[in-house]
Amino acid sequence: MTKIWQGISEFTAVADTGSFTEAAKRLQISVAQVSRNISELEHRLDIKLLYRSTRKVSLSEEGALYLQHCRNLVSSLDEANRTITNLKATPRGLLKITAPVYYGEYHLAPLLNEFLAIYPEVELDLHLTNNKLDLIQGGFDLAIRLGQLESSSLIAKRLANRTQHIVAAPNYLASKGTPYTIADLHQHQCLVGSVEGWRLRDSTGKTVITKPKGRMRCNSGPTLLNAAIQGLGLVQLPDYYVQSALSAGDLVAVLEDFRLPDDGIWAVYPQNRHLSAKVRRLVEFLAARL
């Protein structure tokens, strides 16, 4: 079984470098061993893969075709070896992460600080922004994304659930009345954020988007939260904004029967990061804590 693989790494290295000597250096074996293993490979296949001269090495037509398959084999083997190595590896090096501002400050950052305390060889570069940055172009290892994900080539792991509530202060509801249907929202002062429409589910289970109207608009969740507590109107915000105020009685949730199912809080990362020990360990850590 071993002989099936023998010569493939050597053949690929020679094809990539154009030299038996350079291939031997890459593989850290002798030139004679490279030559011998490739010759044995050609003998087993009964095909000439390389043309050798004193000045250069070139691929035969069959060798060029065979090389395409060999590269995939070598790449898969290297990836398998890295996977096993990283299972044992201690996370180390720089972690570059981006996350939304409020969620990053109040929920993510404390956990990242805990992670750094556990793994002292890890360094952190945290970018908090509500803009969705290009992870590849920006060199990011990981992004925390909230809600519905757009289709992409990135790998995504759900870390936790997120519940959207429509809430208001008790004194506002006592003065203006409690909405009982989605249509009732048009009779109320709504506090509008950066999202133009509020997503809800009607009595048939269909998702509907209603455009709230009110005399206050702001792209800051904490500001809208404070305005709702002050009795200025209704607001739709995720649970991590409003849970404390709901528990304290400063806010009351309305239209709960029309609330959509929970969406997600996600760790999103490029495919070439999923084998990294630091990324894998961090994703596991966040999933356990959130």
Side-chain angles (χ1 to χ4, degrees):
M1 191 69 179
T2 304
K3 284 194 173 184
I4 293 177
W5 286 91
Q6 189 173 350
I8 290 178
S9 295
E10 292 87 343
F11 166 64
T12 305
V14 170
D16 287 342
T17 62
S19 165
F20 278 76
T21 302
E22 293 303 318
K25 289 179 181 178
R26 174 189 288 190
L27 299 174
Q28 298 183 327
I29 58 178
S30 68
V31 174
Q33 187 175 349
V34 170
S35 179
R36 182 171 59 254
N37 287 347
I38 292 176
S39 294
E40 290 179 0
L41 176 63
E42 291 177 319
H43 178 72
R44 291 200 308 274
L45 296 173
D46 194 22
I47 287 175
K48 192 69 173 176
L49 298 174
L50 297 169
Y51 294 121
R52 307 160 176 84
S53 71
T54 55
R55 289 186 295 178
K56 67 175 184 178
V57 178
S58 60
L59 288 166
S60 67
E61 183 178 349
E62 294 84 354
L65 178 62
Y66 191 59
L67 177 63
Q68 298 176 26
H69 298 282
C70 288
R71 279 183 173 146
N72 291 333
L73 288 172
V74 172
S75 176
S76 297
L77 182 59
D78 289 343
E79 184 173 332
N81 289 336
R82 285 195 301 269
T83 299
I84 296 302
T85 300
N86 283 328
L87 287 175
K88 302 178 182 178
T90 300
R92 58 171 55 86
L94 179 65
L95 269 172
K96 190 174 181 182
I97 301 171
T98 179
V101 176
Y102 178 85
Y103 192 83
E105 288 178 342
Y106 289 92
H107 298 277
L108 181 64
L111 295 179
L112 292 177
N113 293 338
E114 185 180 345
F115 188 80
L116 291 178
I118 295 172
Y119 299 106
E121 295 183 62
V122 173
E123 301 174 15
L124 176 65
D125 185 357
L126 177 61
H127 291 247
L128 298 181
T129 174
N130 292 330
N131 297 323
K132 288 187 177 179
L133 303 180
D134 187 313
L135 302 192
I136 305 297
Q137 185 175 356
F140 288 95
D141 294 293
L142 183 77
I144 301 299
R145 300 261 165 93
L146 309 175
Q148 299 293 323
L149 293 179
E150 300 172 358
S151 178
S152 75
S153 62
L154 301 172
I155 297 174
K157 178 175 175 58
R158 194 176 188 128
L159 300 176
N161 294 328
R162 185 182 75 157
T163 305
Q164 294 276 10
H165 295 285
I166 295 178
V167 297
N171 62 344
Y172 173 86
L173 297 176
S175 171
K176 305 296 184 181
T178 299
Y180 292 104
T181 69
I182 296 174
D184 290 344
L185 290 173
H186 298 297
Q187 310 302 320
H188 284 267
Q189 286 290 330
C190 296
L191 308 170
V192 184
S194 57
V195 178
E196 292 292 330
W198 292 0
R199 295 169 58 87
L200 295 162
R201 180 171 55 181
D202 67 15
S203 57
T204 68
K206 180 182 177 182
T207 298
V208 296
I209 299 175
T210 184
K211 292 190 175 181
K213 296 180 180 179
R215 60 192 179 100
M216 181 175 178
R217 178 183 295 270
C218 183
N219 64 350
S220 165
T223 300
L224 294 174
L225 174 64
N226 181 261
I229 292 173
Q230 296 301 318
L232 297 182
L234 298 160
V235 68
Q236 186 180 57
L237 287 170
D239 49 6
Y240 47 81
Y241 279 102
V242 302
Q243 195 59 57
S244 295
L246 288 172
S247 299
D250 296 327
L251 292 174
V252 176
V254 300
L255 299 176
E256 286 290 270
D257 289 341
F258 300 94
R259 176 167 53 82
L260 283 176
D262 292 351
D263 54 26
I265 298 169
W266 306 87
V268 178
Y269 46 99
Q271 293 189 24
N272 65 346
R273 301 294 199 275
H274 80 285
L275 291 176
S276 165
K278 59 186 178 182
V279 172
R280 178 174 50 79
R281 230 25 107 69
L282 177 61
V283 171
E284 292 171 354
F285 176 83
L286 293 176
R289 294 292 196 279
L290 290 173

